[in-house]
Amino acid sequence: MRKLPLFVVTLGLLMSVASQAQAEGCLKGALVGGVAGHLKHHAVAGAVAGWAAGHYLAKKHKDEESKQSH
């Protein structure tokens, strides 16, 4: 039961830093993936998959915005 408070504090810290990250989508994706993975007892694998998906989606969104502005 001690892992839950530590997990909640870690999530709070990551969420506060996520808006300041240079790599868009990475921290938010890793956070969501880690939580989803934690529910299935694979938090690290979920965080890695979430990081990759978040980075890909942020890059895709940025590319779409740049195409619309030109």
Side-chain angles (χ1 to χ4, degrees):
M1 205 58 168
R2 291 184 180 179
K3 288 184 180 182
L4 184 61
L6 179 62
F7 186 71
V8 171
V9 170
T10 304
L11 287 177
L13 290 173
L14 285 174
M15 288 175 61
S16 68
V17 177
S19 63
Q20 299 171 2
Q22 294 293 328
E24 296 177 10
C26 291
L27 288 179
K28 291 178 185 176
L31 179 67
V32 172
V35 170
H38 176 73
L39 296 175
K40 295 290 184 179
H41 305 290
H42 297 287
V44 175
V48 170
W51 167 80
H55 182 69
Y56 169 75
L57 292 174
K59 186 174 191 266
K60 183 178 173 183
H61 181 70
K62 188 176 181 179
D63 290 343
E64 288 175 358
E65 283 183 350
S66 68
K67 285 181 183 178
Q68 289 179 354
S69 66
H70 291 289

